[in-house]
Amino acid sequence: DIEKLDNINTKLKKLAQKHNVQILKKQDFQCRMNEKICFGVTDQGKKIYYDNYHYTLEGAKFFGKKIFWEPKFLESKNV
């Protein structure tokens, strides 16, 4: 139900603001929107997605590294 999902998202946003935690949008790290590219495999050709909702271990590692080293995400970490 969309209303229930909106309510959960609102609560998560408030909680994140309260604790100074950044919420990431999936499209910010799963895709390069300006190039109209979304990742389906890692740099080594391994599957990123197990199914429509879950990452493979290789996919989670791939996105974790991408998020950690992406300049727009580095700003909030003071690295």
Side-chain angles (χ1 to χ4, degrees):
D1 170 72
I2 290 290
E3 188 174 318
K4 188 175 181 180
L5 186 59
D6 286 342
N7 189 27
I8 292 170
N9 285 337
T10 299
K11 287 180 182 180
L12 285 173
K13 286 177 186 176
K14 287 180 182 178
L15 189 62
Q17 287 175 341
K18 178 181 177 182
H19 295 285
N20 196 28
V21 173
Q22 182 181 7
I23 294 179
L24 304 178
K25 295 178 183 174
K26 286 183 179 183
Q27 66 265 24
D28 287 346
F29 60 88
Q30 289 181 341
C31 302
R32 291 185 187 149
M33 299 306 282
N34 58 336
E35 298 174 42
K36 297 183 180 181
I37 295 172
C38 290
F39 299 99
V41 295
T42 67
D43 295 336
Q44 292 79 33
K46 303 282 185 176
K47 287 176 31 175
I48 288 179
Y49 304 98
Y50 177 76
D51 58 23
N52 289 340
Y53 306 101
H54 301 93
Y55 302 117
T56 61
L57 181 57
E58 292 85 4
K61 289 177 185 178
F62 174 79
F63 284 135
K65 288 177 186 175
K66 185 169 174 25
I67 291 166
F68 187 81
W69 293 109
E70 187 79 25
K72 63 183 168 188
F73 300 126
L74 282 175
E75 296 169 1
S76 64
K77 293 188 297 219
N78 297 321
V79 174

